[in-house]
Amino acid sequence: MKLSERLQAIANLVDDNVILADIGTDHGYIPVYLLNNKKIKYVVAADINKGPLENAKKEILVNNLQNKVDLRLGSGLSVLKIGEVDEAIIAGMGGVLISEILEDSFEIAKDLKKIILQPMQASDELRKYLYNKGFEIIDEVLVKEDFRIYEIIIVRYKGKVSEVEDNIYYEVGKKVIEKRDPLVLEFIGKKINECKKIIQKIEGKEGEKIENKIKECNYKIQKLKELKSYVC
């Protein structure tokens, strides 16, 4: 089985010989790939919807992996018991939803040795939540698939609330700046362009909210350019 670039990058971050939970498993591609490559021991594959879980079941049966997978229908980490798995993947959802999943099953999340998060949007809101709730960001990875760059955030609970030295690190993970991720310059460039497009869309309109939004976007552009200069 060949995974997409995004899914492969997520799979590569799972440690060897762990019991894994794949939350929002969809077709179960990551669990099947990891089990076929003998990287993990066992997996709990969960989804809130029956359709995706049925798709995962078919994939698991085709690969004769039914003895190594526990399929569970349910919401987020609530399908797990404390200490049942070592690591979890929560991928392909919005950053706010991922935050809610962690908050709703906080005791379970705290107990995990590692959580691999891949927000589709609102990664800044997710980072704010993580820092404020005592999670440590161990690493971050950028991966490009087609024309989009995805962010993967690897965390574990440390119990210590952290403050970022600059709010721009909610927008762009500090880890990808520090290690000069190969995609970071392109990623920052996309962020700058997004801000410019917002300004172009609302420029000429009146109102306090409009003015504040333009100021916010210009501030972000300035900070993003500073990050770009640092990486260069």
Side-chain angles (χ1 to χ4, degrees):
M1 173 189 286
K2 182 170 171 55
L3 296 177
S4 68
E5 286 88 348
R6 179 178 68 91
L7 295 185
Q8 185 66 62
I10 295 167
N12 290 344
L13 294 165
V14 177
D15 290 333
D16 292 341
N17 299 314
V18 298
I19 298 173
L20 177 71
D22 185 27
I23 304 302
T25 195
D26 197 16
H27 284 73
Y29 290 146
I30 291 177
V32 168
Y33 171 84
L34 292 171
L35 288 167
N36 278 339
N37 284 276
K38 296 180 170 49
K39 187 173 171 69
I40 59 173
K41 295 177 185 175
Y42 192 84
V43 62
V44 176
D47 208 286
I48 196 169
N49 296 310
K50 288 182 180 179
L53 213 59
E54 283 299 316
N55 291 332
K57 185 177 181 180
K58 289 173 187 174
E59 196 70 34
I60 288 156
L61 289 171
V62 166
N63 286 271
N64 196 29
L65 293 169
Q66 54 268 37
N67 293 329
K68 293 190 175 181
V69 183
D70 187 354
L71 291 168
R72 296 184 189 175
L73 180 66
S75 174
L77 295 169
S78 67
V79 299
L80 302 173
K81 296 175 184 175
I82 292 176
E84 189 176 13
V85 302
D86 304 305
E87 300 180 6
I89 295 169
I90 309 175
M93 309 172 201
V96 174
L97 177 56
I98 292 174
S99 302
E100 290 170 354
I101 286 171
L102 294 172
E103 183 66 22
D104 289 345
S105 301
F106 195 65
E107 292 304 312
I108 294 168
K110 280 167 58 176
D111 187 65
L112 293 165
K113 293 175 184 175
K114 185 165 80 176
I115 314 173
I116 301 165
L117 310 172
Q118 189 272 297
M120 300 299 276
Q121 63 269 331
S123 58
D124 57 331
E125 293 299 324
L126 176 56
R127 287 191 190 91
K128 285 175 189 175
Y129 171 82
L130 294 168
Y131 282 119
N132 289 332
K133 295 297 289 191
F135 287 93
E136 175 191 13
I137 295 179
I138 306 165
D139 198 6
E140 294 204 38
V141 175
L142 298 175
V143 57
K144 190 173 183 180
E145 185 175 305
D146 298 325
F147 300 104
R148 183 168 177 179
I149 296 176
Y150 296 93
E151 301 168 84
I152 307 172
I153 306 171
I154 304 99
V155 306
R156 68 184 164 211
Y157 184 75
K158 294 296 283 185
K160 184 179 178 182
V161 175
S162 304
E163 288 185 14
V164 294
E165 58 195 73
D166 195 306
N167 284 349
I168 199 62
Y169 291 121
Y170 291 131
E171 294 284 335
V172 181
K174 192 175 181 183
K175 295 289 184 182
V176 297
I177 297 294
E178 289 174 341
K179 67 182 183 182
R180 289 171 168 79
D181 188 288
L183 290 168
V184 71
L185 288 176
E186 184 180 351
F187 182 68
I188 293 171
K190 284 179 178 289
K191 286 276 186 182
I192 291 171
N193 288 335
E194 285 171 12
C195 289
K196 286 180 177 178
K197 284 178 182 176
I198 291 170
I199 292 171
Q200 287 171 1
K201 191 175 180 180
I202 62 177
E203 230 170 8
K205 297 179 180 178
E206 295 182 356
E208 188 179 342
K209 286 184 178 178
I210 298 292
E211 288 176 14
N212 289 338
K213 190 64 179 177
I214 290 172
K215 284 180 184 177
E216 179 190 330
C217 287
N218 279 324
Y219 176 78
K220 281 184 184 178
I221 289 169
Q222 177 196 332
K223 285 292 183 178
L224 288 164
K225 284 181 176 177
E226 287 173 10
L227 286 183
K228 205 168 182 180
S229 297
Y230 173 80
V231 173
C232 291

